[in-house]
Amino acid sequence: MLVGVPKEIKVQEFRVGLVPAAVRELVHHGHEVWVETGAGLGIGASDADYQAAGATIAPAADTVWARAQLIVKVKEPQAVERQRLRADQILFTYLHLAPDLAQTQDLMASGATCIAYETVTSPTGGLPLLAPMSEVAGRLSVLAGAQALQRHAGGSGVLLGGVPGVAPAQVVILGGGVVGMHAAAMALGLGAQVTVIDRNLEVLRRLWTQFGHGLRTAYATRDAIEQHAAQADLLIGGVLVPGAAAPKLITRQTVSQMRAGSVIVDVAIDQGGCAETSHPTTHDAPTFVVDGVVHYCVANMPGAVPRTSAFALGHATLPFVLALADHGLQALRDDPHLRQGLNVHRGRLTHPGVAQALDRAYLDPLAALNL
């Protein structure tokens, strides 16, 4: 199969779909890989590095999109990229379709097979292709929040860890999953006072066991969220419903009751955000203020550390890329976990969460593949 890797064009996105080592594996399996010139520069990988791994360097994105049977990316295809998709292509990347009707309509119109990293599952029930970026985003959320809390950035001027004689910051994390666990580890390591809120008691028990009495936990109710948000210096939203829009747990009224200069980092913004006041931002202009509360809502947070992120993501995606290259659509029929990643096929929506979020008809992915 001819596998194509275009350069990412989303604002301030420096990751790349395949690192040179992954290209070498594909070539070893007998596949041809075309990489757009300069695609790996953001992670320190030159065209020469890709050529040494066996790739052909394409002079422009049009060449990659025109030739490839399988397109491997990082971020959702931008409008100009969606117009290049063909019905005989497989697209493998993050999609986050639930809050993005325009992208969904374009992908359906293309007739292409579109597989989303974020809904591929594992035998243990996890999300193996979302997890590495959730790990990165969870850790970055604390660093971004600490920066936004500084006075020159619009924050209240609170240092996360405090100093002797001055209390540390209050960090509240919504969701105890991968984002929440890594955010808690980072915030505790910096000396903050941390509370994780989740509706799953087993998750709270696991975190309490892992981090000990230094971590506070709370069961997720409206009262708990409102009360803890009102006291938070930094509120991190890390909730996730696979494939679906993020639940709006932080209402506009809750934001209005938060302290002036406090910060919300909405890691769930890729799926629409968990705060009613959130909207996507970029690394160029990462924050905005609502009711005196600083909001950090960058939709590609891991893009700030592209080398770490690209290698972490590449390690997770490579087995699935190889399966798709080796077997094509049959890989989706054979592997129920990869099949969970199928969001769009031949103009049909094939993920229930996406279909429900966009109020569109849903077709079972196996039925769609066998049409």
Side-chain angles (χ1 to χ4, degrees):
M1 184 175 284
L2 200 156
V3 182
V5 183
K7 185 176 181 180
E8 298 293 324
I9 61 172
K10 190 179 179 77
V11 175
Q12 293 291 322
E13 180 54 69
F14 301 107
R15 290 172 289 180
V16 62
L18 293 175
V19 300
V23 169
R24 185 179 177 186
E25 290 297 314
L26 282 160
V27 172
H28 178 72
H29 277 240
H31 305 293
E32 190 174 354
V33 183
W34 283 58
V35 178
E36 182 182 351
T37 183
L41 292 180
I43 67 165
S46 67
D47 289 352
D49 293 327
Y50 280 101
Q51 288 175 314
T56 298
I57 302 301
D62 283 341
T63 307
V64 176
W65 288 91
R67 295 183 61 89
Q69 298 163 280
L70 168 62
I71 293 284
V72 182
K73 279 176 44 60
V74 178
K75 289 305 293 177
E76 71 279 358
Q78 304 300 290
V80 66
E81 295 175 310
R82 301 197 292 266
Q83 300 310 311
R84 296 172 172 140
L85 271 172
R86 305 189 311 269
D88 62 343
Q89 282 180 321
I90 300 172
L91 173 66
F92 195 30
T93 189
Y94 287 115
L95 292 176
H96 299 292
L97 294 180
D100 194 343
L101 179 59
Q103 183 195 175
T104 305
Q105 290 174 327
D106 285 350
L107 296 184
M108 293 174 70
S110 75
T113 299
C114 305
I115 307 167
Y117 292 160
E118 71 271 12
T119 61
V120 173
T121 59
S122 73
T124 59
L127 301 170
L129 306 190
L130 186 62
M133 295 303 92
S134 294
E135 292 166 353
V136 172
R139 291 174 177 268
L140 280 177
S141 69
V142 177
L143 299 180
Q147 175 72 22
L149 275 170
Q150 295 179 27
R151 189 62 181 173
H152 69 85
S156 59
V158 173
L159 180 65
L160 278 188
V163 293
V166 180
Q170 301 273 352
V171 176
V172 176
I173 301 169
L174 299 183
V178 177
V179 168
M181 179 180 68
H182 284 265
M186 183 66 77
L188 288 167
L190 291 174
Q193 188 171 90
V194 181
T195 301
V196 176
I197 302 176
D198 200 288
R199 65 180 181 178
N200 187 326
L201 289 176
E202 287 305 314
V203 167
L204 296 180
R205 287 190 182 101
R206 172 176 52 80
L207 292 172
W208 193 75
T209 300
Q210 179 177 350
F211 293 112
H213 295 184
L215 177 72
R216 300 179 179 184
T217 59
Y219 184 77
T221 63
R222 295 180 188 275
D223 281 347
I225 293 171
E226 291 172 359
Q227 290 172 14
H228 284 87
Q231 299 300 316
D233 296 295
L234 171 58
L235 178 59
I236 297 172
V239 295
L240 172 71
V241 180
K248 301 296 186 184
L249 300 181
I250 308 169
T251 65
R252 182 172 293 273
Q253 181 179 3
T254 299
V255 172
S256 70
Q257 295 171 348
M258 293 176 67
R259 293 199 292 254
S262 57
V263 174
I264 294 174
V265 177
D266 199 339
V267 183
I269 194 64
D270 271 338
Q271 295 293 126
C274 60
E276 289 182 345
T277 47
S278 291
H279 63 74
T281 61
T282 69
H283 289 294
D284 279 344
T287 63
F288 59 92
V289 179
V290 177
D291 291 337
V293 177
V294 180
H295 290 58
Y296 180 100
C297 303
V298 174
N300 62 327
M301 288 178 64
V305 286
R307 185 170 175 85
T308 296
S309 297
F311 280 94
L313 179 60
H315 296 157
T317 60
L318 181 56
F320 297 100
V321 174
L322 287 170
L324 288 167
D326 287 346
H327 305 293
L329 296 182
Q330 189 61 40
L332 292 162
R333 298 185 182 97
D334 293 342
D335 185 346
H337 301 292
L338 178 58
R339 192 164 63 242
Q340 287 295 313
L342 186 63
N343 279 206
V344 179
H345 179 65
R346 294 183 180 175
R348 306 291 189 93
L349 285 183
T350 54
H351 192 281
V354 173
Q356 182 179 14
L358 297 174
D359 194 23
R360 294 294 191 274
Y362 161 72
L363 181 64
D364 179 85
L366 194 55
L369 288 165
N370 291 328
L371 283 177

Coordinates of all heavy atoms in Angstrom, one line a residue, residues 12-16 42-43 132-133 135-137 139-140 143 283 296 300-313:
Q12 N 0.1 26.4 14.5 CA 1.1 26.0 15.6 C 1.1 24.5 15.8 O 1.2 24.0 17.0 CB 0.8 26.8 16.8 CG 1.1 28.3 16.7 CD 2.6 28.6 16.6 OE1 3.4 27.9 17.2 NE2 2.9 29.6 15.8
E13 N 0.9 23.7 14.8 CA 0.9 22.2 14.9 C 2.2 21.7 14.3 O 2.4 21.8 13.1 CB -0.3 21.6 14.3 CG -0.3 20.1 14.4 CD -0.1 19.6 15.8 OE1 -1.1 19.8 16.6 OE2 0.9 19.1 16.2
F14 N 3.1 21.1 15.1 CA 4.4 20.7 14.7 C 4.6 19.2 14.7 O 5.7 18.7 14.4 CB 5.5 21.4 15.5 CG 5.4 22.9 15.4 CD1 5.0 23.7 16.5 CD2 5.8 23.6 14.3 CE1 4.9 25.0 16.5 CE2 5.7 25.0 14.2 CZ 5.3 25.7 15.3
R15 N 3.6 18.5 15.1 CA 3.8 17.0 15.2 C 3.7 16.5 13.7 O 3.4 17.2 12.8 CB 2.6 16.4 16.0 CG 2.8 16.7 17.5 CD 1.6 16.2 18.3 NE 0.4 17.1 18.1 CZ -0.8 16.9 18.6 NH1 -1.0 15.9 19.5 NH2 -1.8 17.7 18.4
V16 N 4.0 15.2 13.6 CA 3.9 14.5 12.3 C 3.3 13.1 12.5 O 3.5 12.5 13.5 CB 5.4 14.5 11.7 CG1 6.3 13.6 12.6 CG2 5.3 13.9 10.3
G42 N 9.4 19.9 12.6 CA 9.0 20.3 14.0 C 9.4 19.4 15.1 O 9.4 19.8 16.3
I43 N 9.8 18.1 14.7 CA 10.2 17.2 15.8 C 11.7 16.9 15.6 O 12.3 16.0 16.2 CB 9.5 15.9 15.7 CG1 9.7 15.1 14.4 CG2 8.0 16.1 15.9 CD1 9.3 13.6 14.5
P132 N -1.8 8.4 25.1 CA -0.5 9.1 25.1 C -0.7 10.6 25.0 O 0.1 11.4 25.7 CB 0.3 8.6 23.9 CG -0.7 7.9 23.0 CD -1.8 7.5 23.9
M133 N -1.6 11.1 24.2 CA -1.8 12.6 24.2 C -2.6 13.1 25.4 O -2.4 14.2 25.8 CB -2.6 12.9 22.9 CG -1.8 12.6 21.6 SD -0.1 13.4 21.5 CE 0.9 12.1 22.2
E135 N -2.0 11.9 28.3 CA -0.9 12.0 29.3 C -0.2 13.3 29.1 O 0.1 14.0 30.1 CB 0.1 10.8 29.1 CG -0.6 9.4 29.5 CD 0.3 8.3 29.0 OE1 1.2 8.5 28.2 OE2 -0.1 7.1 29.4
V136 N 0.2 13.6 27.9 CA 0.9 14.9 27.6 C 0.0 16.1 28.0 O 0.5 17.0 28.7 CB 1.3 15.0 26.2 CG1 1.9 16.3 25.8 CG2 2.3 13.9 25.8
A137 N -1.3 16.1 27.6 CA -2.1 17.2 27.9 C -2.4 17.4 29.3 O -2.5 18.5 29.8 CB -3.5 17.0 27.1
R139 N -0.4 16.7 31.8 CA 0.8 17.4 32.4 C 0.9 18.8 32.0 O 1.2 19.7 32.8 CB 2.1 16.5 32.1 CG 2.1 15.2 32.8 CD 3.3 14.3 32.4 NE 3.2 13.1 33.1 CZ 3.9 12.9 34.3 NH1 4.6 13.9 34.8 NH2 3.8 11.8 34.9
L140 N 0.7 19.0 30.7 CA 0.8 20.4 30.2 C -0.3 21.3 30.8 O -0.1 22.5 30.9 CB 0.6 20.4 28.6 CG 1.8 20.1 27.8 CD1 1.5 20.1 26.3 CD2 3.0 21.1 28.1
L143 N 1.1 23.1 33.7 CA 2.1 24.1 33.4 C 1.4 25.3 32.7 O 1.8 26.4 33.0 CB 3.1 23.5 32.4 CG 3.9 22.3 32.9 CD1 4.9 21.8 31.9 CD2 4.7 22.6 34.2
H283 N -2.3 28.1 20.1 CA -1.1 28.5 20.8 C -0.6 29.9 20.5 O 0.1 30.5 21.3 CB 0.1 27.5 20.4 CG -0.1 26.1 20.9 ND1 -0.1 25.8 22.3 CD2 -0.3 25.0 20.3 CE1 -0.2 24.5 22.4 NE2 -0.4 24.0 21.3
Y296 N -8.0 28.9 29.3 CA -7.0 28.3 28.3 C -7.7 27.2 27.6 O -8.0 26.1 28.3 CB -5.8 27.9 29.1 CG -4.7 27.3 28.3 CD1 -3.6 28.1 27.9 CD2 -4.7 26.0 27.8 CE1 -2.5 27.5 27.1 CE2 -3.7 25.4 27.1 CZ -2.6 26.2 26.7 OH -1.6 25.7 25.9
N300 N -5.1 21.9 20.5 CA -4.0 20.9 20.2 C -2.8 21.1 21.2 O -1.7 21.4 20.8 CB -3.5 21.0 18.8 CG -2.9 22.4 18.4 OD1 -3.3 23.4 18.9 ND2 -1.9 22.4 17.6
M301 N -3.2 21.0 22.5 CA -2.2 21.2 23.5 C -0.9 20.5 23.3 O 0.2 21.0 23.4 CB -2.8 20.9 24.9 CG -3.8 21.9 25.4 SD -4.5 21.5 27.0 CE -3.0 21.6 28.0
P302 N -0.9 19.2 23.0 CA 0.4 18.4 22.9 C 1.2 18.9 21.8 O 2.4 18.6 21.7 CB -0.1 17.0 22.6 CG -1.5 16.9 23.2 CD -2.1 18.3 23.0
G303 N 0.7 19.7 20.8 CA 1.5 20.3 19.8 C 2.6 21.2 20.3 O 3.5 21.6 19.6
A304 N 2.4 21.7 21.6 CA 3.5 22.6 22.1 C 4.8 21.8 22.4 O 5.8 22.4 22.5 CB 2.9 23.2 23.4
V305 N 4.7 20.5 22.5 CA 5.9 19.7 22.8 C 5.9 18.6 21.7 O 5.7 17.4 22.0 CB 5.9 19.1 24.2 CG1 6.2 20.2 25.2 CG2 4.6 18.5 24.6
P306 N 6.1 19.0 20.4 CA 5.8 18.0 19.3 C 6.7 16.8 19.3 O 6.3 15.7 18.9 CB 6.0 18.9 18.1 CG 6.9 20.0 18.6 CD 6.5 20.3 20.0
R307 N 8.0 17.0 19.8 CA 8.9 15.8 19.7 C 8.4 14.7 20.6 O 8.2 13.5 20.2 CB 10.3 16.2 20.0 CG 11.3 15.1 19.8 CD 12.7 15.5 19.9 NE 13.6 14.4 19.8 CZ 14.0 13.8 18.7 NH1 13.6 14.2 17.5 NH2 14.9 12.7 18.7
T308 N 8.2 15.1 21.9 CA 7.7 14.1 22.8 C 6.3 13.5 22.4 O 6.1 12.3 22.4 CB 7.5 14.7 24.2 OG1 8.7 15.1 24.7 CG2 6.8 13.8 25.2
S309 N 5.5 14.4 21.9 CA 4.1 14.0 21.5 C 4.1 13.0 20.3 O 3.4 12.0 20.2 CB 3.3 15.2 21.2 OG 3.1 16.0 22.4
A310 N 4.9 13.4 19.3 CA 5.0 12.6 18.0 C 5.5 11.2 18.3 O 5.0 10.2 17.7 CB 5.8 13.3 17.0
F311 N 6.5 11.1 19.1 CA 7.1 9.8 19.4 C 6.1 9.0 20.2 O 5.9 7.8 20.0 CB 8.4 9.9 20.0 CG 9.5 10.1 19.0 CD1 10.0 11.4 18.7 CD2 10.1 9.1 18.3 CE1 11.0 11.7 17.8 CE2 11.1 9.3 17.4 CZ 11.6 10.6 17.1
A312 N 5.5 9.6 21.2 CA 4.5 8.9 22.1 C 3.3 8.4 21.3 O 2.9 7.3 21.4 CB 4.1 9.8 23.2
L313 N 2.8 9.3 20.4 CA 1.7 8.9 19.6 C 2.1 7.8 18.6 O 1.4 6.8 18.3 CB 1.1 10.1 18.8 CG 0.0 9.9 17.9 CD1 -1.2 9.3 18.7 CD2 -0.4 11.2 17.2

